[in-house]
Amino acid sequence: MIRTGSEHVYDVVVVGAGAAGVGVAVTLQHAGIENFVVLDRHTVGASFASWPAETRFITPSYATNSIGMLDLNSIAIGTSPAYSLGVEHPTGEDYAAYLRAVAQFFELPVRQEVDVLQVAKVGGGFRIETADESLQAKHVIWAAGEFQYPRFGGFVGSELCRHTATIASYDELEGDDFIVVGGYESGVDAAYHLACRDKRVCLFDKDCPWEEESSDPSDALSPFTLERMREDQFVEQVELFPNTPIESVARVDTVYEVTAQGGRRLRTPVPPLLAGGFEGSQRLVADLFERREDGSLLLSEDDESTLVPGVFLCGPAVRHNEHVFCFIFKYRQRFAVVAKAIATSLGLPAEDLEEYRKWGMYLDDLSCCGVQCAC
């Protein structure tokens, strides 16, 4: 039974306390918005904390540079994971600690262990239903859980695989021979850590991302990943199968049989590892948005729903034209766009947001804001 909360109406409810939620919450403060709350169904940075212990950021952290650009992995002006943590490629737990420190420093009104079940338009505002109560808000920013819903499917028997997102540490995996399905960042990461433990790995991908000729890390593998692929242990222990989609996985007695396109069959005594990406949490609010042709959510120039004004999307699921904002240093460009739009609707000047132009955040020109070279 949903219990009705108080009659208090928030100016903004932010759903999610990861990099997007914490970052946009700090930006709301800079815009002069005080009457808001951040909700998370787990804890601040929980998605990052759940990464395999060995997995690290592929984007390097650095304190600053001569032209004043932020650390690539920073989510707030004046903060730097590189400076705070003293590492160039943070682990997931490292980064979760950074997010917790930012939330604490800015005294963000975060409520943890709050499971949001539904967001509904009611009159001129929104009702946010949680497992325990109902909240009211004038605006909602959906910034939740893009990496908490492992994606299965794509071939018969995918449910027999173990998703790489469920691995706490590669030290826990028993066996000597592994099959990894998916050759983008998480798949290569899994193969690398297994190779470092003297495991033999067959890595399958339907494309060939390690040979993709693109400077955009949304399309091609990062230099950090390519560098690790050139290490002796990876070269010796990992066999690559590019342009080889998997057709099925089956359990045959005590082994798993993996069939690739073209009839190639391999057997392994341990479940194949699936690096198939994530579903994303935006499906929980998809009814509040129109869809683009590619299936992603259609947004206005202010990252607002074109169907239900007042609800905004923030994080790696943001798409504009052909631009994919899947990295922190990309989607943080949009924090000030959202904050300014909400501040304007509340009658606030949002003067402090001018400082965000140092990030390459062009608040009035979407064509500038999304260019990949500015990332």
Side-chain angles (χ1 to χ4, degrees):
M1 178 70 68
I2 298 295
R3 298 197 301 271
T4 302
S6 68
E7 294 303 312
H8 179 77
V9 179
Y10 291 100
D11 286 332
V12 190
V13 166
V14 180
V15 181
V22 172
V24 78
V26 173
T27 314
L28 291 176
Q29 281 190 343
H30 288 166
I33 300 171
E34 299 178 352
N35 178 28
F36 71 92
V37 67
V38 182
L39 309 178
D40 196 278
R41 69 171 181 154
H42 295 306
T43 58
V44 174
S47 290
F48 294 99
S50 67
W51 283 8
E54 300 83 2
T55 298
R56 293 180 172 270
F57 268 62
I58 59 175
T59 46
S61 282
Y62 48 82
T64 186
N65 60 32
S66 60
I67 59 174
M69 289 185 66
L70 282 182
D71 185 326
L72 286 178
N73 299 315
S74 172
I75 48 87
I77 289 175
T79 74
S80 165
Y83 182 82
S84 301
L85 303 170
V87 295
E88 183 177 16
H89 292 279
T91 65
E93 182 53 50
D94 287 339
Y95 197 75
Y98 159 73
L99 292 179
R100 292 192 293 268
V102 171
Q104 182 177 11
F105 178 82
F106 287 98
E107 298 181 347
L108 297 180
V110 179
R111 293 175 55 186
Q112 303 181 109
E113 307 294 343
V114 177
D115 193 6
V116 173
L117 305 177
Q118 183 184 37
V119 176
K121 183 73 172 179
V122 179
F126 295 89
R127 185 179 66 247
I128 298 89
E129 302 285 7
T130 77
D132 298 313
E133 63 179 331
S134 178
L135 305 177
Q136 299 180 64
K138 297 177 183 177
H139 307 86
V140 173
I141 299 175
W142 191 264
E146 295 307 305
F147 304 109
Q148 292 184 12
Y149 305 92
R151 178 187 295 128
F152 289 88
F155 55 87
V156 175
S158 63
E159 70 280 359
L160 297 174
C161 300
R162 181 172 183 181
H163 200 282
T164 54
T166 67
I167 298 172
S169 171
Y170 289 98
D171 284 334
E172 74 177 30
L173 299 184
E174 298 181 356
D176 296 313
D177 295 273
F178 289 84
I179 293 174
V180 177
V181 182
Y184 197 58
E185 299 290 355
S186 58
V188 174
D189 184 68
Y192 173 80
H193 292 299
L194 290 169
C196 288
R197 288 156 176 77
D198 293 323
K199 312 294 187 181
R200 293 180 295 274
V201 183
C202 292
L203 178 63
F204 289 84
D205 194 84
K206 61 183 179 61
D207 299 310
C208 188
W210 45 86
E211 292 184 1
E212 179 71 34
E213 295 182 0
S214 172
S215 61
D216 184 359
S218 297
D219 299 322
L221 295 179
S222 66
F224 179 67
T225 298
L226 293 173
E227 182 180 11
R228 293 190 297 169
M229 292 183 73
R230 292 191 290 268
E231 293 185 18
D232 289 344
Q233 279 185 297
F234 189 97
V235 173
E236 295 169 2
Q237 299 292 120
V238 179
E239 185 174 3
L240 301 175
F241 293 87
N243 305 308
T244 310
I246 296 301
E247 292 185 343
S248 67
V249 173
R251 184 74 182 268
V252 180
D253 296 326
T254 60
V255 301
Y256 296 85
E257 184 174 84
V258 179
T259 302
Q261 192 176 77
R264 181 188 295 272
R265 285 185 173 84
L266 289 86
R267 290 191 169 194
T268 172
V270 298
L273 301 183
L274 178 63
F278 300 84
E279 295 288 350
S281 69
Q282 67 271 12
R283 59 190 175 83
L284 301 177
V285 290
D287 61 314
L288 302 176
F289 292 83
E290 295 180 279
R291 292 278 187 173
R292 289 166 31 124
E293 289 185 1
D294 63 3
S296 59
L297 303 185
L298 180 65
L299 305 175
S300 74
E301 292 187 354
D302 296 325
D303 294 0
E304 186 176 15
S305 169
T306 57
L307 183 64
V308 181
V311 59
F312 296 79
L313 183 67
C314 189
V318 170
R319 301 287 184 272
H320 283 294
N321 299 322
E322 299 303 315
H323 304 303
V324 179
F325 293 84
C326 60
F327 283 93
I328 290 169
F329 66 86
K330 290 187 174 187
Y331 65 70
R332 74 181 182 195
Q333 296 180 79
R334 308 302 300 171
F335 294 164
V337 176
V338 173
K340 183 181 181 182
I342 294 176
T344 299
S345 75
L346 294 172
L348 299 173
E351 294 174 352
D352 287 349
L353 290 186
E354 293 303 311
E355 185 179 1
Y356 281 77
R357 290 181 183 273
K358 296 178 183 178
W359 287 16
M361 293 181 178
Y362 300 91
L363 306 184
D364 300 314
D365 188 350
L366 178 61
S367 64
C368 292
C369 189
V371 291
Q372 293 164 345
C373 60
C375 300

